Amino acid sequence: MTLRHDVVIVGSGLAGLRAALEVAGDADVALVSKVFPTRSHSGAAQGGIGAALGNEEPDSWEWHMYDTVKGGDYLTDQDAAEVLAKDAPRAVYELEHLGVPFNRTSDGRIAQRAFGGHTKNFGEAAIKRACHAADRTGRVILDTLFGEAVKRGIKVYSEYQLMDLVFTDGAASGVVLYEAANGRVHTVGARAVMLATGGFGKVFKTTSNCFANTGDGVYYCYRAGIPLQDMEFVQFHPTGIYELGVLISEAARGEGGILRNRDGRRFMEDYAPTIKDLAPRDMVSRAIVTEIRNGRGIDGRDFVHLDLTHIGRERLAEKLSDISSFVRDYLGIDAATDLIPVSPTCHYMMGGIPTDLDGRVLGAAMDPIPGLYAAGECACVSVHGANRLGCNSLVDLVVFGRRTGKQIRQDLDALQRLEMEGEPAERTVETIHRIKNRGRGERASTLRYELQRVMTEECSVYRTESGLDDALGRLEGLRARYESVTVDSQGTSYNMDLLEAIELESLLGLGETILLSARNRVESRGAHSREDYPERDDENWLKHTLIRKTEKGSEIFYKPVAITRFEPKARTY
Ligand SMILES: Cc1cc2nc3c(=O)[nH]c(=O)nc-3n(C[C@H](O)[C@H](O)[C@H](O)COP(=O)(O)OP(=O)(O)OC[C@H]3O[C@@H](n4cnc5c(N)ncnc54)[C@H](O)[C@@H]3O)c2cc1C
């Protein structure tokens, strides 16, 4: 059945919701989400949203911009960082006025706390910049924006899964969706399509990401020949609960938490003497792995301790109540008296679909693709460069989500409704039929686990050429085996087996782009740390990677970094 809307936004996390609110009223906009909208990963964000409000101590957007550029190891496009840092205070006050219940200072202003890599006076000392609602900041913002979307009557396709993007003469003309409740396939025509499908941490075994984060929107762009940018830059958050990967927010260190090795030593003093435990995530993750490799993990094992015991029960309850309950529920320990075992967990994708500052998706010639937009974690504006700072994603979502919505509204008059040629849903229908009717074959869960293992073993915090080559070989084998993937259930209602098998194609495709981009970049920068090339090499590698699928295989090319204010310098903290 063919449906029609002016604008289809796939993804109802904060990026998609914020854009939808900007377009609604002027155009018929539909939001699509494979999970119920408020279950989007944005709702899991804990620690805060960054903005130089200066409520706790003097702050300036220039300092915020500088930290974002330096945190990104100078791969950050500085025009994007300027937009982010300048617009952040307005964006936070807008959320406040919509009703987001931020924590307050004693005189009633929005409270702020310290976060990794955020400093005063261009790196002098840590600064309190993260606005927060205890440790459930994303939850309250998501609920507020979703409430607003409901109020405005925005059409929501909840539990509809994007299966394909439709193009007519190189312009986006619609999407193909699968309705989880009954297995129906729908084609939806649109004058503008926006992707806000979030990250894809599920490529890795240990991750803080939710199950929906399989990167379908990003992969479908790649499959359609659109390049992907900076895919080698994968963020590992230093403090995942050991073995589970469940996140212990950086807010824990923002509130004074300390990382300790087997000797009880605060080892970050050795790696980042100025801001210690509040160094950017790439540095803290490398420090933890280095401690572990040198036998200083707890009992010589592969984790360290996060110590919150000196913070006090009352403050933990006020500021870090969710993570206190996580460690109680998952580990049976009390954060007020016990040390928490932590190790790095895959957390955030700096790379993704290349866009300009207004969310227009860029094609192979780096020119906008008519009718196609993206924002949020699936996109790469590149405001985070080689390493995102904590509390800079939530602000990215509302700043660039809004800008993208504005751009769509502005473009809409000029965007015609294009005829969708042939049978746009054909590929989807055939894929589903093939997977269901194979009779015998491999289960998606087996292949997914092997993919996650390969990626985790060879492409985590540290990488080497031989490891990446080995991983690419193993991945090729998995891709071949994927051709025989099948499911036990023939059901049409919530056939999650089938949907997981389909998502696995995205995970395998994105895994390959990460490995190829990582093997290609023979330097260490931000979250991409090559043991065989330990130095940053600005002369040859101060440039963005783009990877594109062609008939002859994957092709890598480059794009310059926008440098406006801050010349690259050595990165010490
Ligand atoms: C545990 C955790 C804590 C975090 N804490 C913070 C923090 O304190 N501060 C901060 O700044 N950042 C934080 N982050 C990062 C930040 O939350 C994410 O980067 C951000 O929420 C991503 O938002 P988004 O709008 O791009 O996508 P998401 O919120 O991830 O939403 C993606 C949407 O796309 C939909 N979707 C995906 N694929 C399909 C498909 N095939 N069909 C239909 N719909 C689809 C999903 O259903 C969902 O609605 C945290 C991340 C995690 C995992």
Side-chain angles (χ1 to χ4, degrees), residues 307-314 316 324 327 333-338:
D307 181 358
L308 309 182
T309 57
H310 52 289
I311 293 178
R313 196 174 293 284
E314 204 178 312
L316 284 175
S324 301
V327 300
I333 64 174
D334 179 356
T337 52
D338 302 318

Side-chain angles (χ1 to χ4, degrees), residues 160-459:
Y160 282 63
Q161 187 140 337
L162 175 74
M163 305 293 266
D164 213 352
L165 299 169
V166 187
F167 295 90
T168 304
D169 297 330
S173 55
V175 294
V176 178
L177 305 178
Y178 174 91
E179 190 175 352
N182 55 30
R184 286 198 197 118
V185 174
H186 305 272
T187 305
V188 189
R191 285 151 68 198
V193 173
M194 174 182 169
L195 296 169
T197 52
F200 34 99
K202 280 289 161 191
V203 170
F204 289 82
K205 183 157 67 87
T206 308
T207 175
S208 65
N209 283 199
C210 68
F211 280 86
N213 281 6
T214 55
D216 314 324
V218 181
Y219 174 68
Y220 297 157
C221 282
Y222 181 68
R223 191 169 70 182
I226 296 167
L228 301 183
Q229 187 173 330
D230 294 338
M231 293 296 282
E232 62 272 42
F233 297 103
V234 176
Q235 176 164 87
F236 286 80
H237 192 295
T239 59
I241 293 181
Y242 177 55
E243 285 189 321
L244 300 178
V246 173
L247 192 74
I248 301 294
S249 169
E250 199 167 280
R253 279 170 288 136
E255 295 291 346
I258 289 171
L259 288 162
R260 298 191 188 281
N261 64 15
R262 69 178 299 168
D263 307 319
R265 182 170 157 64
R266 183 182 195 179
F267 58 86
M268 281 312 298
E269 286 177 343
D270 304 332
Y271 299 88
T274 310
I275 57 176
K276 305 185 181 71
D277 299 271
L278 287 171
R281 292 172 178 171
D282 57 332
M283 293 179 78
V284 182
S285 285
R286 278 196 294 278
I288 292 176
V289 173
T290 306
E291 290 296 300
I292 290 169
R293 284 183 174 181
N294 290 329
R296 294 191 293 272
I298 306 304
D299 299 330
R301 295 169 63 199
D302 52 346
F303 63 90
V304 295
H305 274 148
L306 177 64
D307 181 358
L308 309 182
T309 57
H310 52 289
I311 293 178
R313 196 174 293 284
E314 204 178 312
R315 194 164 173 82
L316 284 175
E318 186 200 342
K319 294 281 199 170
L320 300 168
S321 61
D322 272 12
I323 63 158
S324 301
S325 69
F326 292 163
V327 300
R328 196 166 48 240
D329 295 346
Y330 291 116
L331 301 171
I333 64 174
D334 179 356
T337 52
D338 302 318
L339 303 176
I340 306 170
V342 293
S343 62
T345 182
C346 173
H347 185 60
Y348 185 87
M349 299 296 168
M350 271 70 76
I353 307 162
T355 69
D356 66 11
L357 295 177
D358 297 301
R360 287 180 290 210
V361 172
L362 304 175
M366 292 293 108
D367 49 345
I369 296 174
L372 191 62
Y373 304 81
E377 192 172 336
C378 72
C380 181
V381 234
S382 153
V383 69
H384 307 301
N387 171 64
R388 172 174 76 79
L389 291 188
C391 83
N392 260 359
S393 172
L394 292 186
V395 69
D396 161 6
L397 307 176
V398 290
V399 165
F400 288 99
R402 172 173 173 268
R403 287 177 74 94
T404 307
K406 276 192 185 305
Q407 187 64 45
I408 293 175
R409 218 173 52 197
Q410 193 179 313
D411 291 351
L412 212 52
D413 280 347
L415 291 168
Q416 303 297 319
R417 185 173 295 286
L418 302 169
E419 274 309 309
M420 291 187 281
E421 293 148 5
E423 279 297 321
E426 195 174 309
R427 173 180 10 208
T428 301
V429 172
E430 275 178 8
T431 304
I432 293 172
H433 183 79
R434 263 202 320 273
I435 294 177
K436 274 185 156 183
N437 293 294
R438 248 180 210 125
R440 279 198 355 210
E442 293 232 44
R443 295 185 62 83
S445 55
T446 313
L447 296 180
R448 187 180 56 218
Y449 179 72
E450 288 187 31
L451 166 73
Q452 292 171 334
R453 207 160 53 97
V454 172
M455 294 300 294
T456 303
E457 280 169 11
E458 306 297 356
C459 199

